[in-house]
Amino acid sequence: WRDIDTTQQASWPEVHSRLSQLYGESLFPHYVQLYYALAAPISPDNLEEKLAITADSLLFSPVDRLVFKYPALLALAGRQDEAQQMLQLAILAYPARVPAALRQIRLLADKYPEIRTLEAPLEKAEAAAKQPPGFNAGAAPQTPPSPVSGNR
């Protein structure tokens, strides 16, 4: 999710084939899975495989790009409730990555409308991050208890 455009990746079938072979030969298969999960484009092809490998990779190494990618894959699969839950966890874990994730979701939503449902929570998180510390829109102002009145 940094500055990598996962919507345009060259020769994915070849990469998929090489990674599958490497996975079978590797002494460190979790790293191969992690690389696969990071490199796989967000698209409907091989979606169940991408979901399974991404879920396993998140258990091994919940890196920021993958934590935001997983909800997009879930949304593509029609698993909107899970996508929303995972997105909330991603926002909590990596709030600084929200603007980049929002840009990526907006790009992908043009091609895959199922992903558009992830925009609103990201927009809300981005707006909340711009508020001054301690600011809570719509909340009543808090007055500290007076030491004189005995309200402690």
Side-chain angles (χ1 to χ4, degrees):
W1 292 81
R2 289 178 171 76
D3 294 324
I4 296 173
D5 180 7
T6 56
T7 61
Q8 301 294 320
Q9 297 209 359
S11 186
W12 175 247
E14 184 179 335
V15 171
H16 180 269
S17 174
R18 287 184 183 173
L19 286 174
S20 295
Q21 181 182 1
L22 185 59
Y23 180 79
E25 299 170 356
S26 177
L27 295 175
F28 304 102
H30 293 301
Y31 286 102
V32 176
Q33 277 190 316
L34 178 61
Y35 181 80
Y36 176 99
L38 289 168
I42 297 172
S43 65
D45 58 305
N46 301 328
L47 189 54
E48 289 306 315
E49 181 181 22
K50 289 177 194 175
L51 283 165
I53 289 173
T54 302
D56 285 347
S57 296
L58 284 170
L59 293 173
F60 171 65
S61 180
V63 295
D64 57 354
R65 283 181 41 215
L66 207 52
V67 168
F68 281 100
K69 185 177 192 175
Y70 191 53
L73 292 171
L74 287 167
L76 264 179
R79 295 161 57 181
Q80 295 297 335
D81 290 340
E82 289 174 81
Q84 293 295 327
Q85 290 172 353
M86 293 305 295
L87 182 61
Q88 290 305 317
L89 293 174
I91 291 167
L92 290 171
Y94 296 106
R97 303 304 310 154
V98 167
L102 180 56
R103 284 191 303 274
Q104 188 72 20
I105 291 299
R106 285 179 174 155
L107 285 172
L108 288 165
D110 289 339
K111 192 171 184 178
Y112 307 113
E114 305 92 328
I115 293 176
R116 192 164 306 280
T117 60
L118 303 176
E119 270 186 271
L122 288 167
E123 289 170 346
K124 183 178 177 182
E126 185 178 50
K130 293 178 181 177
Q131 298 299 324
F135 180 81
N136 187 357
Q142 299 294 317
T143 307
S146 168
V148 177
S149 68
N151 284 343
R152 292 184 188 196

